Amino acid sequence: MSAVVVAGTDTGIGKTVFSAGLAMALAAHYWKPVQAGLEGETDSAAVAWLSGRPVLAEAYRLALPASPHLAAARAGVEIDPARLALPRLAGPLVVEGAGGLMVPLTSRLLYLQVIAGWGAPVVLCARTALGTINHTLLSLAALRAAGCRIAGVAFIGDEAADSRAAIAGLGGARDLGRLPRLAEVTPEALRAGFAGIDLAAIRGAMA
């Protein structure tokens, strides 16, 4: 099995849509280990519809739309890292994290620590809005300090060539391209939007 982790510099930046596009492009399974917030469409349901790819059941489904450690506490459970081990599959796997890298899963465990333990390459998703240079460089530094392999940075939103160049240069990370804002979030629009993503580089990092 080859796996790739889709992480984000923050929450709400579009990494679920990106994960769906990546699962579609790689003909991969998708897994979101921890889902916090069950009202409306979950991330797994959205990816299943957008990508048409198999989706694995979450290890934890928590009702409260909050940080996983808080959502778990409200549900009267504690997240067990052993249940977050990567599943064994014959083909590629796209794993989506929750929020940013430093999101706590318990009072003693950060998502970043789990990602580091997986040993899979990380695609860091960054929005192209104001503040992205700071957030992305900090996230890259955190990934490196934890010993993670970085496939590169994928940008989501309107073009911001100067910010992309600064992040690639100062952060020493590969620019994996940009997923533009989609007027309609449909499988067809996502497939077209993914034309600007460097899939060869992601595949190479997974090899």
Side-chain angles (χ1 to χ4, degrees), residues 67-94:
S67 175
H69 80 294
L70 178 58
R74 291 287 179 87
V77 300
E78 181 166 332
I79 293 173
D80 179 0
R83 291 183 58 185
L84 305 182
L86 291 181
R88 295 182 177 276
L89 297 171
L93 174 66
V94 172

Side-chain angles (χ1 to χ4, degrees), residues 1-4 26-29 53 87-94 206:
M1 179 196 72
S2 56
V4 60
L26 298 177
H29 284 67
R53 298 299 305 164
R88 295 182 177 276
L89 297 171
L93 174 66
V94 172
M206 296 170 67

